[in-house]
Each structure stands twice: as C-alpha cells, then as structure tokens.
Amino acid sequence: MENHNYSVLDMNGSEAAFQLVDKDRGKNAKQLTWILLLKAHQAVGSIAWLGNGLWTLLGVIQNKLIFGQGVTMENEKLIF
C-alpha cells in the first residue's frame, strides 16, 4: 500500500545552492545605505521641527512679556 499523495525531494550534495551570492550582498548593502539615509533624514527633520517650535515659543514669550501685548498695567486699570 503505497501512498502517492506526497513527494520526496532527494538533496545530495546541494549545499552550494544555499550559499549567499555576491549579488545579494550588494543589494543588501544598498538597502542598508538607503535605510541609514532615511533615518538620518528623519533625525534632521525632527531637529528642525523642534527648533522651529522653540523659535515660535520664544517669539510668543517675547510678545507677551517684553512688549506687554495682552497684559494690562495696574495704572491703566485705575483710569477706567
């Protein structure tokens, strides 16, 4: 009673088929280069975003505290 619902693969001396090829190494190096480039671009973008936020915050502080915009003085309250 033989069951013919499965197949058998005989692998004699085929270890060379599983070795890496130089083409794959070059492709992986390119992919790694692009990943590192994208990560560097993301880091620079984050630093620029934080710098812009800090610059805006300093501008708001300057407008509110130094120039007195939106702040009423005690002398102005007495006049009304």
Side-chain angles (χ1 to χ4, degrees):
M1 296 182 73
E2 292 185 21
N3 189 358
H4 296 289
N5 293 333
Y6 65 92
S7 62
V8 177
L9 179 63
D10 189 16
M11 297 178 62
N12 291 331
S14 61
E15 295 174 6
F18 295 108
Q19 292 179 351
L20 292 176
V21 182
D22 290 336
K23 183 176 91 172
D24 289 338
R25 289 185 185 189
K27 186 177 179 181
N28 289 337
K30 277 187 178 181
Q31 288 174 346
L32 181 62
T33 302
W34 276 106
I35 288 172
L36 292 176
L37 183 64
L38 289 174
K39 292 292 182 182
H41 187 267
Q42 183 181 16
V44 169
S46 297
I47 292 171
W49 181 79
L50 287 173
N52 189 23
L54 180 63
W55 190 259
T56 303
L57 181 64
L58 290 175
V60 169
I61 291 172
Q62 180 182 10
N63 287 337
K64 294 290 182 181
L65 296 179
I66 295 175
F67 295 131
Q69 293 178 354
V71 178
T72 58
M73 302 294 287
E74 292 296 325
N75 294 337
E76 292 177 4
K77 287 183 181 179
L78 296 175
I79 294 174
F80 294 108

